[in-house]
């Protein structure tokens, strides 16, 4: 099984708040605090996730440690993403992305793309029976 998409929210010390991983087989593993749930989605949903990821080639750039630290939240959370476009995968870790979503005074194209992609994948997965709590900012 290969990971197509993974997203996690971790406390500032990387304790798991929520985590979701979608595999190319359609298996979806979800963790929320201390509970784990497994779902199954169709091949067409997996293909749609690949399609969303492939619309944004920026997701495959190697950022190293991406410094997306929203400046006005003390402590906060880390947002960790893994994107697979069918040929290669890339991991991006940012902090406090919700701040970028809620604050129009700060522009950051990478944060905007991460939020947009997360929202699109969230809507697709929620429409296919996955609980939204695994995909919140």
């Amino acid at each position: 099984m290969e990971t197509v998409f993974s997203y996690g929210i971790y406390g500032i010390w990387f304790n798991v708040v929520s985590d979701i991983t979608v595999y190319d087989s359609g298996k979806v593993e979800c963790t929320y605090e201390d509970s784990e749930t497994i779902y199954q989605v169709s091949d067409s949903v997996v293909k749609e996730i690949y399609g969303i990821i492939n619309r944004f080639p920026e997701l495959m750039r190697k950022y190293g440690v991406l410094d997306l630290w929203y400046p006005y939240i003390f402590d906060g959370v880390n947002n960790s993403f893994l994107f697979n476009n069918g040929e290669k995968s890339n991991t991006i870790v940012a902090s406090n992305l919700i701040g970028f979503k809620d604050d129009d005074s700060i522009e950051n194209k990478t944060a905007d793309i991460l939020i947009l992609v997360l929202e699109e994948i969230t809507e697709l997965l929620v429409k296919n029976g996955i609980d939204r709590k695994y995909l919140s900012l």
Side-chain angles (χ1 to χ4, degrees):
M1 275 189 305
E2 188 169 38
T3 300
V4 176
F5 170 76
S6 180
Y7 172 67
I9 298 178
Y10 303 92
I12 207 67
W13 302 109
F14 282 94
N15 55 306
V16 176
V17 175
S18 67
D19 186 77
I20 182 168
T21 303
V22 179
Y23 296 97
D24 58 354
S25 65
K27 180 180 180 180
V28 182
E29 295 178 339
C30 302
T31 303
Y32 187 79
E33 296 173 352
D34 291 331
S35 66
E36 296 181 11
T37 306
I38 295 182
Y39 296 91
Q40 185 72 34
V41 295
S42 68
D43 289 343
S44 64
V45 171
V46 172
K47 287 178 185 172
E48 284 186 64
I49 293 172
Y50 277 126
I52 292 167
I53 293 168
N54 278 303
R55 287 195 353 252
F56 299 93
E58 302 92 329
L59 297 174
M60 292 300 124
R61 265 186 53 209
K62 292 295 179 190
Y63 291 95
V65 175
L66 183 59
D67 188 15
L68 281 181
W69 186 262
Y70 181 75
Y72 306 116
I73 299 175
F74 183 72
D75 243 355
V77 298
N78 292 298
N79 309 88
S80 177
F81 298 85
L82 183 142
F83 300 104
N84 183 331
N85 68 2
E87 295 176 17
K88 61 183 178 178
S89 63
N90 191 30
T91 300
I92 301 172
V93 178
S95 297
N96 302 317
L97 276 179
I98 195 163
F100 290 100
K101 180 178 176 154
D102 295 340
D103 187 344
D104 293 334
S105 70
I106 296 178
E107 291 186 30
N108 186 302
K109 183 178 179 183
T110 304
D112 292 343
I113 290 169
L114 289 173
I115 292 166
L116 175 65
V117 170
L118 180 62
E119 287 174 345
E120 288 189 26
I121 292 173
T122 297
E123 291 312 310
L124 174 63
L125 291 174
V126 167
K127 184 173 77 174
N128 284 277
I130 307 299
D131 193 320
R132 185 177 299 276
K133 71 182 178 183
Y134 303 113
L135 294 144
S136 65
L137 280 173

